[in-house]
Amino acid sequence: MTSNKITPIILAGGAGTRLWPVSREESPKQFCRLLDGQSLFQATAKRVSDPALFNAPIIVTGAQYAGLAEQQLAEYGLEASAIVCEPMGRDTAPAIAAALAAARPGPVAENYLVLPSDHAIEDDEALKTAIRTGRDLIRHSRHLVTFGIAPSRPDTGFGYIRAERDELRPGVHAVSRFIEKPDAARAANLIREAGTSWNAGIFLFNGRDMLDELERHAPELLYMVRKSLANGTMSGSKVFPDAAAFAKAPKLSIDYAVMEHTERAAVVPVDPGWSDLGAWSAIWERGESDVVGNVLEGDAIAVNSTGSLVRTDGPTVAIAGVDDLVVVANRDAVLVARKDDAQSVKTLVETMKAEDRVEQKRHAGEDRPWGRFDSIDRGEHHQVKRIRVHPGGRLSLQYHHHRSEHWVVVSGTAQVTVGDNVMALGPCEQVFIPQGEVHRLENLGSEPVEIIEVQYGDYLGEDDIVRVEDVYGREAVPAALDENLAAA
């Protein structure tokens, strides 16, 4: 018998390049605190945390983000039933297949809700009502349900869904067809047609039925994903698919792999105040504006300017005599762009990636599962960081090929391991860590620990960290990279 509860599958592997410089390769959009001090990933997890309706979620994310996902769940007292750590992104069809393969005790008697983790929704109750409507349908049929968002404008950046006129049951229609991202004229015509909605990438189905459709329409994909799980490893709730097998799964969205081919597709129209937050203009739309349409966040000032977004978590930012701009300032990067030109921001990030710019990859400061670091000074052969470790936090046991480090405790009591020596250091006490020496910093107390770290060496990249042991399940630098760094 199918369970009445639903297991969420939260997809958290996207990049969000159009939201640079906040979203970066190592801290992508879904984990950034873009709205109301919480990340989009946290908002998604909270949205499906009602134990009367939902089971604990399955998270699918990149292996490098698994610890961050656990940390952000823990901030709200939430846990995942499994975290599938993708070795590389292969789009949503392999991600969903991997979640079903990792489900315990198994997907046959379970209903699943697929949610992207990088979207914003204003009316959670409206979405839950639609989810219950979809659940009522799949109790009595083998349909695969998608949720169609009421379109507010002729947007060319979204796919569209056309519904059949007659209802399968109250609030549910069979899908007539899926329409890929249209041109402007086609989009304008579509939103004037009854039964048209945006495709938000939210799906509800019985696990058995989705596996049947994957077997029918994408058998090679399902086979390789199952093989990657069978040959993979586990560490607590984390599941690590075998990289070689996972890489052979065709890179397909669930729309291309299944939904556009199945005869079981159904749509539940819903208007929950949805946005994919795909560009800074969407952040501006959802912000609290002044009387002339400026959204100012942080230490920002606007004079004789209208319709602009100014956001800073670093220096004071002032604009004067300009309109319809986006200005976003971090400690290490500033973006100035036309508000309506998201494509140029994406092109900018692609250019920075081609030039191997560190600002595309990571922030000068970042959250970590154990706390946070901020880079406060950097030169050709040195870097100075402020490191904050939460109570109970433990940095990995690690060493570096190319740098030595000097730690000075600012506050709290740190337990420090250097080689075979373990010591407790308080404020104004310090320790030197030679290049190549195994070391670790831990906070065993009830108050945060802060230290100043001075690095010195011929290479200061974050990939010069060789993890010997890590309580957050982050993997060591791959052997080939480790050897390349050692030889550099």
Side-chain angles (χ1 to χ4, degrees), residues 20-22 24 311-315 317 327-336 352 357 359-360 362-364:
W20 187 88
V22 172
R24 306 196 189 186
R311 179 187 180 113
T312 175
D313 60 8
V317 175
V327 182
V328 182
N330 291 159
R331 290 174 53 88
D332 62 337
V334 178
L335 170 71
V336 181
M352 292 169 50
R357 294 291 300 257
E359 295 86 358
Q360 176 268 329
R362 63 183 67 95
H363 289 272

Side-chain angles (χ1 to χ4, degrees), residues 13-201:
T17 55
R18 291 180 176 88
L19 292 182
W20 187 88
V22 172
S23 177
R24 306 196 189 186
E25 185 176 305
E26 294 183 3
S27 53
K29 166 186 168 184
Q30 61 270 22
F31 297 114
C32 298
R33 300 178 191 274
L34 288 166
L35 299 173
D36 302 322
Q38 67 179 349
S39 73
L40 298 174
F41 171 76
Q42 288 174 316
T44 304
K46 288 170 61 181
R47 188 170 297 125
V48 290
S49 61
D50 180 359
L53 184 58
F54 300 106
N55 297 312
I58 299 172
I59 310 299
V60 185
T61 190
Q64 67 271 40
Y65 309 134
L68 183 55
E70 279 190 315
Q71 172 200 337
Q72 292 201 352
L73 289 174
E75 289 180 20
Y76 290 95
L78 303 175
E79 293 184 357
S81 63
I83 300 178
V84 179
C85 304
E86 294 179 297
M88 72 285 293
R90 302 301 293 165
D91 217 320
T92 56
I96 292 168
L100 294 176
R104 296 291 183 270
V108 173
E110 291 291 340
N111 293 329
Y112 292 84
L113 174 72
V114 174
L115 289 165
S117 65
D118 58 351
H119 296 175
I121 290 175
E122 293 180 348
D123 190 346
D124 288 350
E125 289 306 314
L127 180 61
K128 288 180 183 178
T129 297
I131 290 168
R132 292 185 180 96
T133 298
R135 183 186 62 179
D136 290 343
L137 173 71
I138 63 177
R139 275 181 184 168
H140 307 290
S141 73
R142 302 190 66 185
H143 282 89
L144 311 179
V145 176
T146 186
F147 296 87
I149 304 299
S152 59
R153 61 185 182 276
D155 200 303
T156 61
F158 302 142
Y160 288 71
I161 303 168
R162 290 283 291 122
E164 298 284 3
R165 180 186 300 273
D166 295 334
E167 291 183 318
L168 294 169
R169 60 185 300 123
V172 189
H173 299 258
V175 171
S176 171
R177 67 184 185 277
F178 290 90
I179 301 164
E180 292 305 309
K181 297 175 182 177
D183 60 27
R186 178 66 173 130
N189 288 332
L190 281 170
I191 67 167
R192 288 193 289 266
E193 297 177 6
T196 299
S197 55
W198 285 337
N199 184 353

Side-chain angles (χ1 to χ4, degrees), residues 386-457:
R386 179 186 294 112
I387 296 176
R388 181 182 178 91
V389 184
H390 299 313
R394 304 175 71 193
L395 279 67
S396 60
L397 186 65
Q398 60 184 253
Y399 64 91
H400 312 291
H401 288 300
H402 291 274
R403 69 177 187 249
S404 58
E405 296 176 342
H406 194 128
W407 291 349
V408 180
V409 178
V410 176
S411 63
T413 299
Q415 178 167 295
V416 175
T417 299
V418 180
D420 295 329
N421 297 321
V422 180
M423 63 202 84
L425 301 180
C428 212
E429 295 184 308
Q430 55 193 290
V431 64
F432 175 70
I433 302 158
Q435 178 179 316
E437 185 66 270
V438 173
H439 58 281
R440 164 178 273 162
L441 175 66
E442 303 174 74
N443 182 0
L444 305 182
S446 58
E447 299 295 328
V449 165
E450 291 195 4
I451 71 166
I452 298 297
E453 175 184 270
V454 181
Q455 304 174 355
Y456 185 85

